[in-house]
Amino acid sequence: MKSVAILGGGPAGAFAAEQLASAGLKVLLFDEKLAWEKPCGGGLTFKAYSQYPFLLDNATPKRMVTETVLGADKAGTVTLKLGDPLLIYSRFDLNRMLLERAERAGARIEKARVTSLARYGSGWQFHTSSGRADADFCIVATGARNPLRDVGTELQPQDTMSALGYYIPGDRERIDIQFLKGVEGYIWVFPRCGHLSVGICGKGVPAMDLRKRLEQYMSARDLAWKGARFYSHLLPSLETASWKKNRVAGDGWMAIGDAAGLVDPITGEGLYYAIRSADLAARALLSEVGAAAEKIAAYRRALRRDFAGDLEFGSRLAKRVFLGRFLFGSVPARIVQFTRRSPRFSAIMQDLFAGRQPYLGLKKRLLQNLNGSLYEIAMSFGFSRLIPRKARAESIS
Ligand SMILES: Cc1cc2nc3c(=O)[nH]c(=O)nc-3n(C[C@H](O)[C@H](O)[C@H](O)COP(=O)(O)OP(=O)(O)OC[C@H]3O[C@@H](n4cnc5c(N)ncnc54)[C@H](O)[C@@H]3O)c2cc1C
């Protein structure tokens, strides 16, 4: 295998191009827009920039945010300090930086739309808006709206969330996250360099309804949306059954990032998984194992082991997190109240925001801390005398 075509130049495609070109492969990347302001919060977690330090160490403009305010119906708000800050980029800047790195590594970047692809011998032939091209192998990185039907995740309506919002002038130091009553999703306010990105995502709710909810939220907080730039896009949010049959690779191709449905079904985080899956795909392609079929199997295994198993588990939790009930209240309200009252619970939330706490170990950690958290909550209400001395001692230890 000597040449690889990469279809799509978002974070997934650009990072795969950089890795493969650095290793000496002939890489041709197509993107119909190249660097663009993709509708996105642009938030990168500690998990992302600790594994890929170049995301932090560069001259591209970005914000570091150390505080988030969580809100839920009937619970008010709580401020959560982020020991590991969230990094926020404009997507134009992030995409441009990644594409430039790919180009410097030797990838050829072409601004063109891929309109079709077909097997040609043991390789591929592509039709694009600017002509035709060939390659031995194909990486599909065309995002959530992948127009190429035969490759990548086959997203069904139940595997997606609508996500939309406004870019508005403004500045602030914190992120706001507002849970929504009866909706599997949330509203966010992210400070970017020079403006705020205010958005909403929700599963199974018509986009018009989400937009109305967002506008009500913004009006109530003096965030002027009239005349502001509107954006909307699709967010993969795979159901558990869809993770099991997810089409991430096939004969002569691998899909990465949103085109492979690799987005956290609870938080909507996709940037880390785009970069990570690109890395895993590149490693599988460059590995010593011989035939292409073995490399494809190696990529599938690596994805599952590295994070897809955790995201699949997250898809089982999503409905409980947004729509579930705990101790006679909604789970989002309890999250806000527990974060306010219990330092132990707050530490778990911080780790979730940083990407340090996988979903697979979450239940165990919550249960291990339940006594302690409830004790801290009772103490914060001044109920210490209601808790037997023995239980108090156990909770503190
Ligand atoms: C509103 C919203 C907010 C989000 N906020 C966050 C966030 O704060 N943090 C986070 O981690 N994730 C967030 N995400 C998810 C994140 O945006 C995606 O997971 C990420 O962009 C995936 O990268 P990608 O490279 O796979 O796909 P994309 O970034 O979508 O890139 C795909 C590229 O393919 C190109 N393309 C598509 N079809 C063709 C074609 N036929 N020919 C040529 N080129 C083509 C497109 O032009 C595009 O550049 C958000 C998503 C949405 C919708």
Side-chain angles (χ1 to χ4, degrees):
M1 189 181 307
K2 292 201 172 82
S3 60
V4 179
I6 299 188
L7 318 184
F15 193 64
E18 181 192 343
Q19 299 302 298
L20 294 170
S22 304
L25 288 186
K26 189 176 154 204
V27 176
L28 177 57
L29 179 149
F30 297 104
D31 194 292
E32 58 184 335
K33 299 185 189 133
L34 294 181
W36 65 296
E37 191 54 61
K38 192 215 151 184
C40 181
L44 280 160
T45 55
F46 169 78
K47 176 174 59 185
Y49 62 80
S50 59
Q51 281 184 56
Y52 299 100
F54 76 86
L55 291 169
L56 192 58
D57 305 329
N58 60 64
T60 305
K62 53 192 154 310
R63 294 285 298 258
M64 295 283 278
V65 181
T66 55
E67 209 174 272
T68 180
V69 175
L70 300 174
D73 193 41
K74 296 196 179 142
T77 59
V78 61
T79 300
L80 181 71
K81 295 274 178 212
L82 302 175
D84 301 307
L86 195 79
L87 198 59
I88 303 183
Y89 280 95
S90 109
R91 280 299 302 271
F92 177 83
D93 290 339
L94 178 66
N95 284 25
R96 184 171 59 181
M97 173 183 73
L98 292 167
L99 284 167
E100 281 173 359
R101 287 174 63 93
E103 202 161 28
R104 275 201 302 274
R108 214 178 100 206
I109 314 268
E110 199 172 310
K111 185 171 183 186
R113 178 174 174 80
V114 179
T115 49
S116 69
L117 72 170
R119 281 306 244 166
Y120 183 67
S122 62
W124 292 92
Q125 189 165 73
F126 306 93
H127 284 96
T128 74
S129 48
S130 60
R132 258 192 355 217
D134 300 319
D136 298 330
F137 198 85
C138 170
I139 301 253
V140 183
T142 37
R145 288 191 177 140
N146 173 20
L148 308 166
R149 285 163 181 256
D150 299 330
V151 289
T153 298
E154 295 167 288
L155 284 177
Q156 302 300 318
Q158 67 271 20
D159 296 322
T160 64
M161 274 192 183
S162 296
L164 53 91
Y166 292 97
Y167 298 118
I168 60 167
D171 189 24
R172 55 169 70 175
E173 293 301 315
R174 59 171 208 271
I175 289 167
D176 287 359
I177 301 282
Q178 177 71 35
F179 292 106
L180 302 161
K181 196 175 168 195
V183 174
E184 200 177 330
Y186 61 91
I187 287 174
W188 68 86
V189 184
F190 273 21
R192 301 266 207 81
C193 295
H195 65 276
L196 304 175
S197 166
V198 187
I200 185 169
C201 60
K203 198 166 188 177
V205 183
M208 276 311 292
D209 293 358
L210 290 176
R211 188 167 177 173
K212 234 182 259 163
R213 276 190 187 240
L214 180 65
E215 288 169 357
Q216 275 165 6
Y217 170 91
M218 292 175 75
S219 299
R221 286 157 187 82
D222 286 332
L223 297 165
W225 51 269
K226 282 189 186 142
R229 197 171 133 208
F230 177 73
Y231 62 79
S232 77
H233 209 278
L234 207 61
L235 200 53
S237 174
L238 268 58
E239 292 284 308
T240 310
S242 306
W243 279 105
K244 296 198 188 308
K245 52 176 195 237
N246 192 12
R247 199 175 61 171
V248 294
D251 185 23
W253 64 269
M254 294 174 189
I256 57 179
D258 280 17
L262 301 173
V263 173
D264 185 318
I266 298 179
T267 63
E269 177 184 9
L271 288 170
Y272 167 73
Y273 300 108
I275 290 170
R276 186 72 188 152
S277 58
D279 193 2
L280 297 176
R283 284 192 217 181
L285 263 185
L286 297 169
S287 69
E288 294 299 318
V289 291
E294 289 171 53
K295 293 175 192 289
I296 286 162
Y299 174 56
R300 281 209 185 94
R301 278 196 305 275
L303 268 187
R304 176 124 208 108
R305 217 177 23 233
D306 202 86
F307 66 79
D310 197 53
L311 295 188
E312 180 184 324
F313 189 71
S315 71
R316 285 201 225 163
L317 301 181
K319 285 200 173 45
R320 270 184 259 168
V321 169
F322 291 112
L323 308 174
R325 294 189 65 78
F326 183 68
L327 293 175
F328 312 109
S330 74
V331 169
R334 295 295 179 236
I335 289 175
V336 170
Q337 290 157 342
F338 280 30
T339 304
R340 184 183 300 132
R341 302 272 175 194
S342 162
R344 287 172 201 238
F345 189 83
S346 173
I348 296 174
M349 289 302 291
Q350 285 198 32
D351 283 350
L352 280 168
F353 268 82
R356 286 179 186 276
Q357 173 61 58
Y359 294 129
L360 280 162
L362 182 60
K363 187 173 170 191
K364 192 170 166 206
R365 184 166 171 204
L366 284 169
L367 285 175
Q368 275 170 350
N369 283 275
L370 186 61
N371 266 348
S373 296
L374 291 175
Y375 170 78
E376 286 167 346
I377 290 161
M379 289 296 283
S380 76
F381 280 112
F383 288 163
S384 61
R385 271 172 299 149
L386 299 181
I387 299 174
R389 192 171 297 164
K390 184 166 173 285
R392 249 184 278 165
E394 278 170 6
S395 299
I396 291 165
S397 68

